[in-house]
Amino acid sequence: MRILFVCLGNICRSPTAEAVLRHKLRELGLEGVEVDSAGTGDWHVGKPPDSRTRQAAQLRGYDLSALRGRQVCVSDFRRFDLILAMDNSNLEQLRRMRPGDAMAELDLFLRRYDLAPVEVPDPYYGGEEGFQQVLDLLEQACDGLLRELRGRL
Ligand code: 4NP
């Protein structure tokens, strides 16, 4: 099972989702799940996650230090089973890129697990509370994803 999280810059929301899911998988001893993240934009390719994102995540025990930004590419649609977008704009962009022979299922991460709001708000231009909200939402959504994975693995 291969899961890709996608946001705009790949320095705030999707790397956080990647780190949270990895952490929870390890805690549960669930193996056989590959997790990655990418951005629809290319501004932060090769860069570490945003320092505010890293700090907020670290305070909850998630380590993002090894992650580096990358841009989503057409081969991702063949490599991953499930591609989960953080907001509707990311999802729309992914739908436009999707090749005819795509294997991956595409979905909006929070909506898939019946959470509200259905989008993870972009915290980049906001204050500290935005980074906390991202973590709160992604922790809940990862719990939903883990329930699904337990059923599928
Ligand atoms: P992300 O946040 O999509 O959650 O990584 C953003 C990061 C950077 C920018 C926008 C959103 N930016 O405009 O550079």
Side-chain angles (χ1 to χ4, degrees):
M1 183 76 191
R2 297 188 180 90
I3 297 166
L4 179 68
F5 294 111
V6 174
C7 62
L8 176 59
N10 193 214
I11 54 167
C12 297
R13 293 166 292 176
S14 63
T16 301
E18 178 183 348
V20 170
L21 184 61
R22 284 229 176 103
H23 183 97
K24 287 177 179 283
L25 284 166
R26 213 172 25 245
E27 266 183 355
L28 291 169
L30 274 179
E31 289 174 8
V33 184
E34 188 182 316
V35 189
D36 196 6
S37 67
T40 57
D42 65 357
W43 312 285
H44 304 286
V45 169
K47 305 264 175 62
D50 182 279
S51 57
R52 299 162 297 174
T53 291
R54 273 184 285 151
Q55 198 169 5
Q58 194 172 10
L59 288 171
R60 295 200 196 185
Y62 307 115
D63 181 14
L64 276 67
S65 60
L67 305 181
R68 294 295 177 270
R70 77 167 179 92
Q71 191 173 25
V72 68
C73 56
V74 168
S75 60
D76 286 326
F77 290 86
R78 303 186 189 102
R79 193 174 135 217
F80 290 91
D81 301 295
L82 183 57
I83 301 181
L84 294 166
M86 297 295 130
D87 65 33
N88 277 311
S89 153
N90 312 144
L91 184 64
E92 198 46 49
Q93 188 70 32
L94 288 165
R95 284 197 176 124
R96 278 198 288 268
M97 286 179 72
R98 191 171 209 242
D101 62 348
M103 302 288 290
E105 182 186 358
L106 267 182
D107 210 344
L108 195 59
F109 190 24
L110 301 189
R111 191 179 58 199
R112 187 176 182 90
Y113 301 106
D114 297 321
L115 291 164
V118 294
E119 300 182 293
V120 184
D122 184 347
Y124 191 67
Y125 293 107
E128 164 57 27
E129 68 287 352
F131 293 86
Q132 297 302 328
Q133 189 192 12
V134 166
L135 279 159
D136 291 342
L137 291 168
L138 291 176
E139 285 178 336
Q140 291 176 66
C142 281
D143 287 340
L145 175 52
L146 285 164
R147 281 192 291 275
E148 179 184 354
L149 288 174
R150 279 170 143 164
R152 284 169 73 150
L153 288 174

